Amino acid sequence: MRIGIGLPNTVPGTDGALMIDWARRAEERGFAFVSTIGRVGYPSYDSLTSLAAVAGATSRIGLLTNVVLGPAYADAVLAKTAMTLARLSGERLTLGLGIGARRSDYTPSERAFAGRGRAFDRQLEFLNRAFAGEPVADGDFPGEKRLAGPAGENIPLLIGGHSEQAVRRTVEYAAGWTGAGGGPSRAEPMVARIVDAWRAAGRAGDPRLLGLAYFCADAAGADASDHYLRSYYAYSGDHAATIADGAVRTPARIRSIVDEFAAIGMNEVTFAPTVPHLTEVDRLADLVL
């Protein structure tokens, strides 16, 4: 089981210095990667920009967007930004992508909310060609073809979502799947569907299967943790309570959820913070590493 920790890029009260210190401490303590949560219509730190700063402040730890809302970005801009980050970080980037459920993430981007699934399919095709080093556009001279960004290794993709389309996209385009909040019980049906579809398609090896657990390792921060999650997911109605109540906030629950994800076949997990305290990195490391 590869264990990562999220950056507090969407948690109120986080400043830039904390983001960098958090990533450095995560690398020192041995986490496999740091992850971000991606939103546009929210006062958070941008995922790809945050990971670029983290890449410059660290040397080994993996970098994961979990997830960027792909159709909220122009295809070529997303490809070039991701390829630049991958090259500058020494190929440490995994690009987690999804479509999201909030119209407020598309309106400020001036991108269509309706039809975002079809736009995502077109984008995934573009990204796969771009990351493979294939030409994606005509150049300035007759017969010239342009690449999307600097050449390098193929960037692995993880697909988010719980639909049949997410299963198809994972098998067709990605290295694996990433689950949203809700814990092992919500992820389990998708894991089975993806594994079956992966094998049926003749994909080699096993898919990467990433679970997400919201956490608070300091008992004194439990109320703030709960408030943050209920606020962040308020758009989803009753589902906000499911997410908030599912956060792991005791040593026993934090330890056990790793085994619970493993028991349903997941091979990676990221712990997403819910309070902006640097001590959370050490508290979590002491429990799960």
Side-chain angles (χ1 to χ4, degrees), residues 40-41 69 71-72 102-114:
V40 177
L69 303 179
R102 298 170 173 95
R103 188 179 296 273
S104 62
D105 286 318
Y106 285 82
T107 300
S109 300
E110 298 182 346
R111 307 284 289 180
F113 181 73

Side-chain angles (χ1 to χ4, degrees), residues 153-206:
E153 296 180 13
N154 207 329
I155 301 171
L157 301 179
L158 299 182
I159 301 298
H162 287 75
S163 67
E164 197 58 43
Q165 296 285 22
V167 175
R168 176 184 59 79
R169 290 168 184 141
T170 298
V171 172
E172 186 172 355
Y173 295 109
W177 176 78
T178 175
S185 62
R186 187 180 184 210
E188 185 172 14
M190 277 296 291
V191 169
R193 290 158 64 191
I194 287 167
V195 169
D196 288 345
W198 190 273
R199 292 171 178 164
R203 289 288 303 267
D206 297 319

Side-chain angles (χ1 to χ4, degrees), residues 153-286:
E153 296 180 13
N154 207 329
I155 301 171
L157 301 179
L158 299 182
I159 301 298
H162 287 75
S163 67
E164 197 58 43
Q165 296 285 22
V167 175
R168 176 184 59 79
R169 290 168 184 141
T170 298
V171 172
E172 186 172 355
Y173 295 109
W177 176 78
T178 175
S185 62
R186 187 180 184 210
E188 185 172 14
M190 277 296 291
V191 169
R193 290 158 64 191
I194 287 167
V195 169
D196 288 345
W198 190 273
R199 292 171 178 164
R203 289 288 303 267
D206 297 319
R208 291 173 61 178
L209 296 166
L210 174 71
L212 180 146
Y214 285 107
F215 85 100
C216 175
D218 181 0
D223 289 344
S225 167
D226 184 76
H227 176 77
Y228 159 67
L229 289 172
R230 291 176 188 275
S231 173
Y232 188 81
Y233 285 98
Y235 81 97
S236 64
D238 292 343
H239 184 60
T242 300
I243 298 293
D245 293 342
V248 290
R249 300 189 179 97
T250 67
R253 282 297 297 132
I254 290 170
R255 290 192 188 99
S256 67
I257 203 163
V258 176
D259 293 334
E260 291 171 19
F261 277 122
I264 65 169
M266 306 194 88
N267 45 40
E268 303 183 25
V269 61
T270 188
F271 284 89
T274 55
V275 293
H277 304 150
L278 185 60
T279 53
E280 289 288 273
V281 180
D282 285 319
R283 290 177 187 272
L284 181 64
D286 289 342

Side-chain angles (χ1 to χ4, degrees), residues 41-65:
Y42 191 81
S44 55
Y45 291 84
D46 173 71
S47 286
L48 289 162
T49 309
S50 296
L51 292 180
V54 163
T58 60
S59 60
R60 304 179 308 278
I61 197 164
L63 312 170
L64 168 67
T65 63

Side-chain angles (χ1 to χ4, degrees), residues 90-105:
E91 312 296 349
R92 289 187 275 156
L93 177 66
T94 293
L95 191 63
L97 296 172
I99 63 172
R102 298 170 173 95
R103 188 179 296 273
S104 62
D105 286 318

Side-chain angles (χ1 to χ4, degrees), residues 21-151:
D21 289 342
W22 191 286
R24 285 175 172 154
R25 193 67 182 138
E27 182 171 78
E28 291 169 3
R29 290 305 306 263
F31 286 98
F33 56 88
V34 290
S35 62
T36 57
I37 294 175
R39 290 288 309 281
V40 177
Y42 191 81
S44 55
Y45 291 84
D46 173 71
S47 286
L48 289 162
T49 309
S50 296
L51 292 180
V54 163
T58 60
S59 60
R60 304 179 308 278
I61 197 164
L63 312 170
L64 168 67
T65 63
N66 193 41
V67 296
V68 160
L69 303 179
Y73 296 80
D75 298 351
V77 173
L78 179 58
K80 183 179 288 289
T81 304
M83 294 169 79
T84 300
L85 174 53
R87 305 297 94 85
L88 292 176
S89 68
E91 312 296 349
R92 289 187 275 156
L93 177 66
T94 293
L95 191 63
L97 296 172
I99 63 172
R102 298 170 173 95
R103 188 179 296 273
S104 62
D105 286 318
Y106 285 82
T107 300
S109 300
E110 298 182 346
R111 307 284 289 180
F113 181 73
R116 65 195 186 283
R118 292 186 297 275
F120 193 32
D121 285 331
R122 293 191 297 270
Q123 182 177 77
L124 288 169
E125 176 63 30
F126 182 95
L127 292 177
N128 269 263
R129 289 188 287 115
F131 295 167
E134 298 176 9
V136 295
D138 292 332
D140 294 329
F141 304 99
E144 181 187 31
K145 297 292 184 179
R146 283 187 174 160
L147 304 181

